[in-house]
Amino acid sequence: MSGQEPTSQQRYQQFIKQRSTLERAMFARTEASRSERKHLRRQYLEWLLPHKWQVGVVFLLSLVGIAVDMVWPLLSGYLIDKVILNSALTTTKKVETIALASAGMLALFLLNSGMNWVRSLRMQLLNSNLAFSLRALLYRRVLRLPLQEINAMKTGGIVSRLSNDVDNTTGLLQQAVISPTLSTLRLVATLSIIVMLNWKIALAVMVAIPPILLVQNLWAKRVRLVWKSSRQDRQEIDARVSEALNGIRIVRGFQRETREEREYTVGHHTVIRKQMLITRMQRSVAMIWELILPITQLTVIAYGGYLVVMGETTVGTLVAFQGYVWRLLEPIIQLSNSISETQRSFASMERVFEVLDKPAEMPDAPHAVEPKSPIESIEFDHVHFAYRPDLVVIQDFHLTVPAGSVVALVGPSGAGKTTVTDLVARFYDPTSGAIRINGIDLRELRLRSYRSLLGIVAQEVFLFDGSVRENIAYGRKSAAHSEIVGAAMRANAHEFIEQLPEGYNTLIGERGVKLSGGQRQRLSIARALLADPKILILDEATSNLDTESEQLIQASIAELLKNRTTFVIAHRLSTITDANVIVVMDGGRIEELGTHDELMKKRGMYFQMVERQRQRELSGEHGALEWAPAPG
């Protein structure tokens, strides 16, 4: 019936159809981007260039192995024709010659085995160095990407690129450079030798090779697209897992464990289906190769035996051909496998170099200068900002802030308070207008030097998985222990730190989970105090804390505000009554401006917010400053 809810199987089929449509569109775009792939290959070769000598050593050691391998079938044919079947030689001479040849080959095999051992070590070292250099390069780029780019990729996608994609890209050296080159050299050498031995048998053996290569090439084009789509699916799965683990309290609080499991299962089922498609394609090609080897050997025996009977070739040549059959087909099989693995690695390489191609966050202008000290003023000159054309967040924000002032930003959620502080931190640049320090546009200052003047204490405290000491000294790694303790004391954190099991060396867990909310906040204030910023951005975080923690943090904040130009996103009245200027925002605009007393006398929007908060406090409620029309 039309009014019935679709079953889970029907929903799954709809999901698969939608994904298939998206994948086909992605496949079409991929096929149309050949010039982009050429660009990626050039990037890859440029990245390999500094390691050319290490690659050369591996190639040289591999060439020695190929040369030794080519000698053995020739020696076998020589011994049969010129020694074993040579009636002109005595038995003693035959034995001596066989023993001498065997000893020589054994020495070569031992030498080759030792060189292969060295080559394996050199290859592993090269791969490790390549993976490290690419991973470090990618991580460096990610840390400097614009925030919107990082948010778009999601944490899981970034981690996936740094791990699996980097490993697959590193493997391209072996799969797309070393292995195909050596296989081609081995193939050319083998073809040259078998043509020299007997061109008729060689021609018969080579008849089957061109059709196989054609099938292989057609298959490779398709499998690469499937690999890329599969990698994209894995990224989405990784991102989903990361989000679920970071928000595990919400997942459990809303009893969504089953839903997350289902999403994970459906995503993996899609990946498995694509991997099965790839496996079916690989096995189809492998079946052809499994037939080619015995057919080729049969051709050599049948046709070669006929030529021996007819006196057109020798038994030794026939034996040598049997030895070269595998040496002929092995490099072709290796080229086949290399193409298969290369498609997967190329898909990963595209994802890695796609990130490396992204522009870094706000590169310094050619004429950028160092910020002047001391800071005398910060001026907002009719600033507008929009995340995108249809999402304007800040409109005509105009304000001059003298050095050492405390500027409180208040207003309802979505008013643009956080965006203003993001513009001050230069996480974003104004769409129009300008922010100036001492009369110089922020865009004309060196970003790294300007950020060294900043300190940020966020409402949602972020601490790293390390010791208390490491977290306080995050902004100044060279700080002495006495300076760290001094900052902790000024932040009212020293007393609780001393009570921890290992004091300042206590590990606090990921995001500081082993500490209370008030303790985490005081550590973040100590971190800011030790960094001693000239401009402070403070997202006040005393809401949702107990009274004792709130009082300690308020005292810490008072210490933190001294001798700094501070922008406070205010949630509680107690932190902004003494602010030099209070900016009341709504809809990205400045609605009111003044001190606490001045704004209270106006009895406007700020007055209504304050009255509403007082009523809530009298009724025993707690919460942030929010705007609501006053009664009547």
Side-chain angles (χ1 to χ4, degrees):
M1 296 175 62
S2 60
Q4 291 180 336
E5 287 288 329
T7 65
S8 58
Q9 179 64 25
Q10 290 172 332
R11 287 197 300 269
Y12 173 75
Q13 292 297 334
Q14 293 172 359
F15 170 79
I16 294 299
K17 289 179 180 178
Q18 291 171 354
R19 293 185 73 92
S20 298
T21 301
L22 291 173
E23 287 159 12
R24 284 195 297 271
M26 185 184 71
F27 291 172
R29 289 196 302 271
T30 304
E31 279 295 294
S33 60
R34 293 181 180 178
S35 60
E36 180 183 348
R37 292 201 294 269
K38 290 180 180 178
H39 170 67
L40 288 172
R41 291 188 184 100
R42 285 196 300 270
Q43 281 185 298
Y44 182 77
L45 292 176
E46 290 173 1
W47 168 65
L48 277 181
L49 193 59
H51 306 274
K52 59 185 178 183
W53 296 114
Q54 296 180 59
V55 176
V57 170
V58 172
F59 262 113
L60 182 61
L61 293 172
S62 301
L63 288 174
V64 173
I66 292 176
V68 172
D69 193 47
M70 290 293 106
V71 170
W72 171 241
L74 282 176
L75 181 62
S76 300
Y78 170 81
L79 289 176
I80 291 173
D81 286 342
K82 304 299 181 180
V83 179
I84 298 174
L85 299 180
N86 189 352
S87 57
L89 296 178
T90 64
T91 302
T92 303
K93 185 63 176 177
K94 290 180 179 180
V95 172
E96 289 177 353
T97 304
I98 292 172
L100 183 62
S102 300
M105 285 305 300
L106 178 61
L108 281 177
F109 288 150
L110 291 175
L111 175 63
N112 189 44
S113 184
M115 296 189 74
N116 282 337
W117 181 78
V118 174
R119 181 182 60 81
S120 298
L121 294 181
R122 298 295 303 181
M123 191 67 209
Q124 180 59 48
L125 178 61
L126 176 58
N127 282 334
S128 298
N129 288 336
L130 287 173
F132 169 74
S133 65
L134 184 57
R135 193 166 279 123
L137 185 65
L138 181 61
Y139 189 50
R140 176 183 176 84
R141 173 59 53 161
V142 167
L143 289 177
R144 289 161 176 78
L145 286 178
L147 291 179
Q148 59 266 34
E149 293 284 358
I150 295 177
N151 294 334
M153 285 192 291
K154 300 181 181 180
T155 303
I158 293 171
V159 172
S160 176
R161 283 175 168 87
L162 284 168
S163 54
N164 295 335
D165 287 337
V166 167
D167 289 338
N168 289 337
T169 302
T170 302
L172 270 174
L173 175 63
Q174 177 66 38
Q175 297 156 2
V177 180
I178 294 179
S179 181
T181 302
L182 293 176
S183 296
T184 302
L185 290 174
R186 184 187 293 268
L187 182 61
V188 170
T190 304
L191 286 172
S192 301
I193 293 173
I194 63 174
V195 168
M196 179 188 68
L197 288 174
N198 190 295
W199 67 269
K200 292 181 179 180
I201 303 178
L203 185 61
V205 168
M206 290 187 292
V207 166
I209 295 177
I212 299 300
L213 293 178
L214 179 61
V215 171
Q216 183 73 34
N217 185 53
L218 294 175
W219 166 81
K221 289 183 178 180
R222 187 179 179 194
V223 77
R224 180 185 179 189
L225 303 176
V226 183
W227 270 124
K228 184 172 183 179
S229 177
S230 177
R231 291 299 307 148
Q232 184 66 31
D233 290 338
R234 285 301 303 269
Q235 171 182 323
E236 293 177 8
I237 294 170
D238 291 343
R240 184 83 186 194
V241 170
S242 178
E243 287 180 347
L245 293 178
N246 287 331
I248 189 65
R249 293 175 180 271
I250 303 300
V251 172
R252 292 180 179 176
F254 286 93
Q255 302 178 13
R256 286 295 179 266
E257 294 93 338
T258 303
R259 177 184 174 183
E260 294 298 329
E261 289 173 12
R262 184 170 63 251
E263 293 290 340
Y264 183 81
T265 301
V266 170
H268 261 293
H269 182 70
T270 304
V271 172
I272 290 171
R273 288 174 62 133
K274 291 179 181 178
Q275 289 177 338
M276 288 302 299
L277 173 61
I278 294 169
T279 301
R280 285 197 298 269
M281 295 164 68
Q282 288 176 324
R283 286 305 306 157
S284 299
V285 175
M287 285 177 61
I288 298 174
W289 286 113
E290 289 170 0
L291 288 172
I292 286 295
L293 182 59
I295 290 174
T296 305
Q297 289 177 326
L298 181 61
T299 300
V300 171
I301 293 173
Y303 185 58
Y306 168 77
L307 293 179
V308 169
V309 171
M310 299 301 294
E312 295 185 28
T313 190
T314 64
V315 175
T317 299
L318 187 60
V319 171
F321 252 99
Q322 282 286 63
Y324 282 117
V325 165
W326 174 247
R327 286 163 177 79
L328 177 66
L329 295 180
E330 182 186 25
I332 299 177
I333 293 174
Q334 287 177 345
L335 284 170
S336 170
N337 294 334
S338 175
I339 292 172
S340 169
E341 294 300 317
T342 297
Q343 300 316 306
R344 177 172 59 179
S345 297
F346 265 132
S348 293
M349 184 184 73
E350 288 179 5
R351 287 163 45 81
V352 170
F353 283 97
E354 176 190 21
V355 176
L356 294 176
D357 274 342
K358 292 181 183 293
E361 177 198 26
M362 303 172 188
D364 289 336
H367 57 279
V369 297
E370 297 289 332
K372 295 180 180 179
S373 184
I375 293 176
E376 298 173 355
S377 66
I378 302 176
E379 178 189 359
F380 296 81
D381 184 6
H382 299 286
V383 170
H384 292 74
F385 176 74
Y387 289 105
R388 57 178 192 265
D390 62 332
L391 186 59
V392 179
V393 182
I394 302 297
Q395 304 181 61
D396 197 30
F397 192 94
H398 189 73
L399 179 68
T400 299
V401 181
S405 301
V406 176
V407 179
L409 303 170
V410 301
S413 298
K417 306 183 295 293
T418 300
T419 303
V420 170
T421 59
D422 284 347
L423 292 171
V424 172
R426 215 188 157 204
F427 294 149
Y428 307 99
D429 281 334
T431 307
S432 64
I435 302 176
R436 298 186 177 91
I437 301 287
N438 296 346
I440 303 176
D441 194 319
L442 287 188
R443 288 167 288 203
E444 298 178 2
L445 298 177
R446 298 190 188 280
L447 182 60
R448 185 176 181 84
S449 299
Y450 171 67
R451 291 259 176 88
S452 68
L453 303 176
L454 294 175
I456 299 175
V457 178
Q459 179 182 11
E460 185 179 346
V461 178
F462 190 95
L463 298 176
F464 294 89
D465 186 8
S467 67
V468 171
R469 180 195 311 278
E470 291 168 341
N471 274 278
I472 294 177
Y474 187 76
R476 271 186 60 197
K477 291 295 185 182
S478 60
H481 178 68
S482 58
E483 294 176 300
I484 294 172
V485 172
M489 287 180 172
R490 292 162 64 196
N492 291 312
H494 178 70
E495 183 176 348
F496 89 77
I497 294 173
E498 287 289 287
Q499 295 174 358
L500 294 175
E502 298 179 51
Y504 283 83
N505 294 319
T506 301
L507 299 177
I508 61 176
E510 186 177 7
R511 293 177 178 264
V513 294
K514 297 181 181 180
L515 303 177
S516 69
Q519 290 172 336
R520 291 197 297 269
Q521 189 61 269
R522 277 177 276 167
L523 280 191
S524 73
I525 293 173
R527 180 169 60 191
L529 283 167
L530 184 63
D532 192 23
K534 305 305 178 187
I535 302 172
L536 177 66
I537 296 172
L538 176 62
D539 190 348
E540 184 207 333
T542 56
S543 57
N544 302 323
L545 295 177
D546 58 81
T547 304
E548 181 181 358
S549 295
E550 180 180 350
Q551 291 173 349
L552 288 170
I553 290 174
Q554 292 291 7
S556 303
I557 290 174
E559 179 67 25
L560 183 60
L561 298 183
K562 291 179 180 177
N563 304 317
R564 309 180 204 284
T565 305
T566 306
F567 292 86
V568 180
I569 298 177
H571 302 284
R572 283 184 175 272
L573 176 63
S574 55
T575 60
I576 62 171
T577 53
D578 295 328
N580 299 98
V581 61
I582 298 173
V583 181
V584 184
M585 299 184 64
D586 190 22
R589 296 181 179 273
I590 298 177
E591 296 294 335
E592 294 179 349
L593 196 65
T595 64
H596 172 76
D597 293 336
E598 290 170 349
L599 294 177
M600 291 298 290
K601 290 177 183 178
K602 287 183 178 181
R603 303 181 70 83
M605 184 175 176
Y606 178 75
F607 174 82
Q608 295 172 17
M609 293 166 61
V610 173
E611 286 300 307
R612 182 172 179 83
Q613 185 190 25
R614 285 177 178 171
Q615 292 172 13
R616 294 183 64 181
E617 289 177 347
L618 288 173
S619 64
E621 299 179 17
H622 297 278
L625 286 172
E626 292 290 348
W627 178 84

